[in-house]
Amino acid sequence: MSGVNKVILVGHLGKDPEIRYLEGNVSVASFPLATSETYNKDGKRVEQTEWHNIVMWRGLADVAVKYLTKGKLVYIEGRLRTRTYEDKEGIRRYATEVVAETFTLLGRKSDFEPSGATNAGNAANPQAQKAEDKEIEVDFTENDQEDNPLPF
């Protein structure tokens, strides 16, 4: 029986994704993701934040750079990968990262509109504003078949 390597995270981007291109014009995007949990310690609420290095490849990387920005809330599924490398001093180092296979933007519809367009026309209509603030999800999945573009 083979093992299972599955990671599910919901968190906020620590900065905009950075994209680079490897040999053969293969795109790779990376960014830090913060996940937080709260608990009570001695009657006080304590928040603990973990930082995760996220890596996205090919079409998923291109979509991430287009839609993800610092502070956005995102759901990510992927797998853990640990790489080894030597630093400038020749010391062996390890880096553990989440290789994303899919992501879903989380939040209100207004979170995905260009700045300045948020609810400007609905200030007099609270019902319309309430409808715009419903949470939506936009799902993006890695498509390894380069002949089939993403469906949007």
Side-chain angles (χ1 to χ4, degrees), residues 6-22:
K6 179 88 170 174
V7 176
I8 297 175
L9 298 170
V10 175
H12 293 274
L13 272 74
K15 65 180 185 178
D16 291 350
E18 294 177 2
I19 193 162
R20 63 186 196 280
Y21 296 92
L22 306 177

Side-chain angles (χ1 to χ4, degrees), residues 1-145:
M1 177 178 189
S2 63
V4 175
N5 184 353
K6 179 88 170 174
V7 176
I8 297 175
L9 298 170
V10 175
H12 293 274
L13 272 74
K15 65 180 185 178
D16 291 350
E18 294 177 2
I19 193 162
R20 63 186 196 280
Y21 296 92
L22 306 177
E23 228 176 274
N25 208 26
V26 174
S27 53
V28 182
S30 59
F31 57 90
L33 185 79
T35 58
S36 297
E37 58 182 311
T38 57
Y39 60 91
N40 290 324
K41 182 177 182 180
D42 301 327
K44 295 188 181 200
R45 185 175 168 189
V46 178
E47 181 175 30
Q48 181 175 340
T49 301
E50 292 288 333
W51 288 93
H52 313 275
N53 296 317
I54 309 298
V55 177
M56 295 181 176
W57 290 86
R58 298 178 184 81
L60 194 63
D62 297 332
V63 172
V65 168
K66 184 175 180 180
Y67 289 98
L68 297 179
T69 57
K70 179 180 179 178
K72 292 275 189 190
L73 182 64
V74 66
Y75 169 96
I76 293 178
E77 286 187 28
R79 56 185 159 69
L80 282 180
R81 179 182 66 189
T82 302
R83 332 180 255 115
T84 60
Y85 64 95
E86 284 190 15
D87 66 10
K88 295 176 183 175
E89 290 80 36
I91 299 172
R92 185 179 218 170
R93 302 279 183 187
Y94 297 89
T96 300
E97 38 197 29
V98 175
V99 177
E101 296 165 354
T102 182
F103 73 89
T104 303
L105 291 169
L106 302 176
R108 298 178 303 273
K109 180 179 178 183
S110 60
D111 293 343
F112 306 106
E113 295 174 352
S115 58
T118 57
N119 299 329
N122 293 327
N125 187 346
Q127 197 71 345
Q129 181 155 352
K130 189 174 185 180
E132 280 191 16
D133 285 341
K134 283 185 181 176
E135 287 197 9
I136 65 167
E137 294 182 2
V138 181
D139 187 29
F140 301 99
T141 303
E142 173 64 47
N143 185 351
D144 284 332
Q145 299 173 348

